[in-house]
Amino acid sequence: MLAALDLDFLRIRAIALNGFREAIRDRVLYFIAFYALLLALATATLRYLSGGAHEKILLDFGVGAMALLSAAIAIYVGTGLINKEIERQTVLMLLPKPLSRAEFAIGKHVGLTAVLAVAVAAMTVLYFAFLGLSGTSFPLGPLLLSSLFLLLELAIVVAIALVFGAFTTSLIAMLLSFGVYVMGHFSSDIVEFGKIANTREAIFFTRLLYLILPDLERFNLRNDAVYGILPPVPELCQSVLYGGFYIVIVLAIATFAFSRRQF
C-alpha cells in the first residue's frame, strides 16, 4: 500500500525532524515549565485550602492540566506548521523536489507527534515527582497508560489541526481545531441531545456529527486512572484501532486539502 502511494520513509523522516526542531523552538518548552509551576503552586496551596482532600484534588488537577496544556500545544503548533511554510515560502523550495504532498503532511504530523510525546513524557515525570514530594499515593500503571492514550488523542488533534491549517489562516484554523477538540469530548452527548429533541432531522444531524467528529472521550482514561481503574483490554484495543484509523483518514484529507492550494 505504501509503495502504491509512493511514500519514501527517508523523505518523511527528514520532514519530521525539521518539524520536530521547529516545534521545539516554537515555545513548546515554556508549556512544560508552566505545567511545573502550576503543580508547584497546587502542591503548596491545596493542603491548606481543600479541607483534607488535597491528595485527590492534586491527582485530578495534575492529569487535567496535562491534558489541557498538551492539547494547546497540539492546536497552537499544528495549525501553524503548514501555514508557516507557505508564509515563509519555504514550501516552494520543498515541493519541486521529489517530495509528495502526502510525505510533507505525514512528516509534519510525525514531527509534531514526537514533540508531544516528549512534552507528555516530561509532564508525566513532573507529575509523578510532585506527587511523590507531596506524599500522595498514586496508581503508577493506570496513570502511565492514561498518558499513552492522551498521546493518541493528541495525535488525532494534530491531524485535525493540519487539515484546517492546510486551507485557512492560522487563527481560523486554531479556532476550528479547538471547536472540534471540545465537541469531540462531547460527541456522545450530542447524540443524546438528538434523541431528546426527538425529531427526524435532529437525530439524523446529531448522528452525522457523531460519525464525523472524533470520539476523543474514548481516550480519556484520566478520571478512572486516578482510582486505579482501567477499561477492559478489548475496549482499549478497539480505541487504539479507532485512533489509528481516524488519523489515517484525516491525514488523507489533509493531503488532499494541501494539494488544492496554489503557490
Side-chain angles (χ1 to χ4, degrees):
M1 181 177 179
L2 291 177
L5 291 174
D6 194 25
L7 297 179
D8 186 287
F9 286 108
L10 291 179
R11 294 196 290 261
I12 292 174
R13 178 177 176 271
I15 294 296
L17 287 174
N18 179 70
F20 180 86
R21 289 192 291 265
E22 182 181 351
I24 287 292
R25 291 195 301 265
D26 210 356
R27 298 190 177 93
V28 169
L29 296 179
Y30 289 115
F31 284 89
I32 301 174
F34 183 62
Y35 179 71
L37 178 61
L38 288 177
L39 285 181
L41 291 174
T43 303
T45 58
L46 284 177
R47 186 180 300 273
Y48 306 102
L49 300 176
S50 57
H54 62 279
E55 292 188 357
K56 174 62 173 59
I57 296 176
L58 183 60
L59 281 167
D60 290 334
F61 176 80
V63 292
M66 186 191 308
L68 289 176
L69 287 176
S70 54
I73 297 172
I75 294 172
Y76 170 67
V77 182
T79 52
L81 278 179
I82 292 180
N83 263 315
K84 285 182 179 179
E85 297 281 4
I86 296 172
E87 291 169 2
R88 297 170 184 170
Q89 296 188 340
T90 53
V91 70
L92 298 177
M93 297 181 289
L94 291 172
L95 292 181
K97 298 179 180 180
L99 175 72
S100 69
R101 303 198 181 200
E103 290 168 343
F104 185 76
I106 294 171
K108 289 294 185 182
H109 182 269
V110 172
L112 182 50
T113 302
V115 170
L116 289 165
V118 172
V120 169
M123 286 190 279
T124 301
V125 170
L126 287 169
Y127 177 54
F128 290 154
F130 276 99
L131 289 176
L133 290 173
S134 66
T136 302
S137 59
F138 57 91
L140 177 63
L143 287 174
L144 282 174
L145 188 61
S146 73
S147 292
L148 290 175
F149 269 73
L150 170 61
L151 182 60
L152 182 55
E153 174 188 335
L154 295 173
I156 294 174
V157 175
V158 169
I160 292 169
L162 287 175
V163 170
F164 291 132
F167 68 83
T168 186
T169 64
S170 295
L171 178 59
I172 295 175
M174 274 194 280
L175 294 174
L176 291 173
S177 299
F178 179 74
V180 172
Y181 173 76
V182 173
M183 294 177 68
H185 278 284
F186 294 97
S187 56
S188 298
D189 296 330
I190 292 174
V191 175
E192 294 302 319
F193 176 77
K195 293 178 181 178
I196 293 173
N198 199 26
T199 64
R200 180 178 301 177
E201 293 78 8
I203 292 173
F204 172 79
F205 181 69
T206 53
R207 287 182 177 175
L208 181 64
L209 275 180
Y210 180 76
L211 291 175
I212 295 173
L213 291 171
D215 186 4
L216 298 180
E217 195 61 24
R218 69 163 62 223
F219 306 106
N220 181 10
L221 308 183
R222 298 179 290 277
N223 296 331
D224 291 333
V226 296
Y227 294 104
I229 303 171
L230 289 175
V233 173
E235 184 177 334
L236 295 174
C237 293
Q238 288 176 4
S239 296
V240 171
L241 291 175
Y242 170 84
F245 178 76
Y246 200 93
I247 290 170
V248 170
I249 294 299
V250 176
L251 283 180
I253 296 172
T255 301
F256 175 77
F258 187 48
S259 68
R260 304 300 294 177
R261 293 201 65 163
Q262 301 297 322
F263 306 109

